[in-house]
């Protein structure tokens, strides 16, 4: 009996010590305030709670109010410092490779691949980035401009003959087909397999609780990735067996790199890179475009000014039927302000993760080596001290700003050496699509839809519009 009592007492003491250690992690300095949540779970459940507002996610907003702009928490068993402080966030981006490195939870690496570009560091990351810039760099985008405009015109023409269009899905389909053609020469009309369907299954479970059990959203997400990767692997192997005489897409370039003597590029890394590029290019841009058109529908004054800029471009042409030129694209001053404001409010990437490589002192706090740091762009973009009426859509606020890409107060596309290499591609697609839309069409909102924001992505689902050709109305 006494032995059982002693054993139970020791077990209780051990559990109590474990819980205390969990809630009070060791640190050679002063940790930011905050709660580590329940043992093992941390505050994961609260973090994954959806946000149906345009404001900062409740998980972050409530803790900032309680603890301040820098606080600690625990997500999926990992201690995390959350930064809503623009100075700390900027410092984290600028110290990539020295004090911090890119990091994401194991659930994310399982989804995107252990060799995905976001999980690679140093020379390997720079090497892959230079590869991607062969497609999305300045020269590549100039060559791509006519095809982007042609694709936009064809889709808008198709949609104008339909009773209504669900914009998120329609724009995602348009952008995916264009990107897949440039990357892997994929033609959905000629393929027996639906590549995009696997990405849709992947996306639907991307931000879900990580239970890999049949029937769960997370399991469906992993299956979607598995199926998409199988298709990409088959394409790659088929292309390697029958190489093209004249390389014409990114796959051809990747195969050349793989076959070089002494190459550091493996098939696994190449496939993970292709998967991430396909996902990032169409999902993020379609989200931004859908929200952009919603903003235009809600603000006639912004629509009028945007339309005037694009109609002026047409009036200055000698040949009204000629396509957009690079000079015309670069002249779209108000359009780029509009895109910046859309990106600021859209917060398409509301959480960016890094890992501390060493103990770091910042202000009064210490960030211990090995801890994750989560930068929260929405808190920066919706800061009333920087942006007057931060929840109001106002492209004119960018007229005097020089922050067209990345700054301490604008990180819609990341920052530092990991600034998104697809930023200019996204802006090109949005600007060209908006040019075709506002000069040739009017639209009416059929169904407002709903915007569900989660810690990883937003889903503006169910937003339906009816397109009308301007010349038919006039």
């Amino acid at each position: 009996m006494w032995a059982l009592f002693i054993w139970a007492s020791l077990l209780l003491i051990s559990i109590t010590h474990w819980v205390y250690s969990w809630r009070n992690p060791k640190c050679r300095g002063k940790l930011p305030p905050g709660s580590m949540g329940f043992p093992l779970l941390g505050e994961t459940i609260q973090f994954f709670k959806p946000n149906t507002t345009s404001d900062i996610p409740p998980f972050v907003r409530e803790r900032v109010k309680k603890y301040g702009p820098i606080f600690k928490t625990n997500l999926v068993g990992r201690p995390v410092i959350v930064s809503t402080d623009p100075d700390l966030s900027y410092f984290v981006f600028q110290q990539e490779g020295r004090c911090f490195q890119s990091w994401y939870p194991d659930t994310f690496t399982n989804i995107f691949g252990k060799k995905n570009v976001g999980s690679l560091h140093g020379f390997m990351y720079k090497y892959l980035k230079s590869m991607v810039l062969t497609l999305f760099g300045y020269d590549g985008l100039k060559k791509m401009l006519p095809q982007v405009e042609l694709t936009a015109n064809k889709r808008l023409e198709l949609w104008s003959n339909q009773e209504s269009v669900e914009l998120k899905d329609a724009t995602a389909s348009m952008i995916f087909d264009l990107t897949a053609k440039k990357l892997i020469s994929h033609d959905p009309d000629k393929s027996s397999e639906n590549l995009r369907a696997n990405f849709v299954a992947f996306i639907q479970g991307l931000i879900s609780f990580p239970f890999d059990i049949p029937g769960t959203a997370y399991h469906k997400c992993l299956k979607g990735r598995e199926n998409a990767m199988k298709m990409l692997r088959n394409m790659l192997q088929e292309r390697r067996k029958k190489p093209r005489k004249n390389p014409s897409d990114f796959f051809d370039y990747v195969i050349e790199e793989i076959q070089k003597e002494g190459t550091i590029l493996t098939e696994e890394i190449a496939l993970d890179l292709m998967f991430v590029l396909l996902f990032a290019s169409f999902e993020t841009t379609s989200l931004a475009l859908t929200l952009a058109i919603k903003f235009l529908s809600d603000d006639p004054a912004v629509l009028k000014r945007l339309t005037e800029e694009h109609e002026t471009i047409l009036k200055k042409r000698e040949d009204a039927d000629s396509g957009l030129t690079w000079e015309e694209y670069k002249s779209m001053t108000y359009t780029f302000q509009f895109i910046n404001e859309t990106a600021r409010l859209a917060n398409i990437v509301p959480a960016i993760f890094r890992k501390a490589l060493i103990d770091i002192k910042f202000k009064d706090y210490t960030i211990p080596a090995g801890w994750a740091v989560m930068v929260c762009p929405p808190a920066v973009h919706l800061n009333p001290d920087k942006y007057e009426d931060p929840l109001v859509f106002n492209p004119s606020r960018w007229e005097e700003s020089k922050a067209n890409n990345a700054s301490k107060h604008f990180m819609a596309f990341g920052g530092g050496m990991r600034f998104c290499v697809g930023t200019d591609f996204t802006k090109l697609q949005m600007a060209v699509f908006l040019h075709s839309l506002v000069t040739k069409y009017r639209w009416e909102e059929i169904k407002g839809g709903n915007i569900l924001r989660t810690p990883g992505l937003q889903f503006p689902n169910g937003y339906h519009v009816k397109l009308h050709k301007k010349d038919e109305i006039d």
Side-chain angles (χ1 to χ4, degrees), residues 342-353:
T342 299
R344 182 187 72 83
L345 277 178
N347 286 308
I348 290 169
V349 184
I352 301 173
F353 290 92

Side-chain angles (χ1 to χ4, degrees), residues 47-250:
F47 177 74
F48 277 99
K49 184 179 178 182
N51 175 21
T52 56
T53 74
S54 297
D55 209 338
I56 300 168
F59 176 85
V60 174
R61 187 174 64 249
E62 292 165 6
R63 284 156 183 77
V64 168
K65 185 176 180 180
K66 186 174 182 179
Y67 302 119
I70 304 171
F71 62 89
K72 69 176 182 287
T73 184
N74 188 292
L75 304 175
V76 291
R78 184 86 184 207
V80 179
I81 301 295
V82 179
S83 170
T84 69
D85 182 302
D87 293 324
L88 175 56
S89 299
Y90 187 73
F91 174 74
V92 168
F93 289 144
Q94 297 306 310
Q95 292 298 312
E96 173 82 26
R98 293 184 287 274
C99 299
F100 300 93
Q101 71 178 24
S102 178
W103 174 87
Y104 283 89
D106 290 342
T107 51
F108 276 68
T109 55
N110 289 340
I111 289 172
F112 286 107
K114 298 187 185 303
K115 297 292 185 179
N116 79 82
V117 65
S119 299
L120 298 173
H121 312 289
F123 176 76
M124 192 67 203
Y125 170 76
K126 293 177 181 178
Y127 168 71
L128 291 182
K129 184 175 180 179
S130 68
M131 283 182 60
V132 175
L133 286 174
T134 62
L135 179 68
F136 296 129
Y138 180 84
D139 292 334
L141 293 181
K142 283 187 73 173
K143 295 176 183 177
M144 212 182 293
L145 176 59
Q147 189 174 358
V148 173
E149 184 180 20
L150 179 62
T151 300
N153 286 333
K154 283 185 175 180
R155 291 302 175 104
L156 286 166
E157 171 74 24
L158 176 66
W159 300 342
S160 69
N161 294 316
Q162 299 175 6
E163 285 301 313
S164 70
V165 176
E166 200 285 301
L167 272 177
K168 170 61 179 62
D169 185 67
T171 53
S173 174
M174 174 187 70
I175 296 164
F176 184 86
D177 290 348
L178 171 66
T179 308
K181 186 172 183 178
K182 297 300 296 182
L183 288 174
I184 57 178
S185 298
H186 180 69
D187 187 339
D189 296 328
K190 296 179 181 179
S191 176
S192 59
E193 297 180 274
N194 191 337
L195 180 60
R196 182 172 172 262
N198 292 316
F199 275 88
V200 171
F202 167 80
I203 290 162
Q204 288 174 345
L206 179 58
I207 304 303
S208 57
F209 206 81
F211 284 141
D212 186 12
I213 301 171
T216 63
Y218 185 70
H219 180 78
K220 292 176 182 177
C221 175
L222 292 178
K223 291 297 292 184
R225 170 185 163 78
E226 181 184 326
N227 293 335
M229 289 295 287
K230 182 179 179 181
M231 289 183 67
L232 291 172
R233 186 172 288 106
N234 290 340
M235 290 178 191
L236 179 63
Q237 291 173 353
E238 183 66 27
R239 194 79 70 83
R240 292 184 73 174
K241 290 178 183 177
K242 299 177 181 179
R244 300 182 183 186
K245 293 182 180 179
N246 299 309
S248 60
D249 63 17
F250 192 63

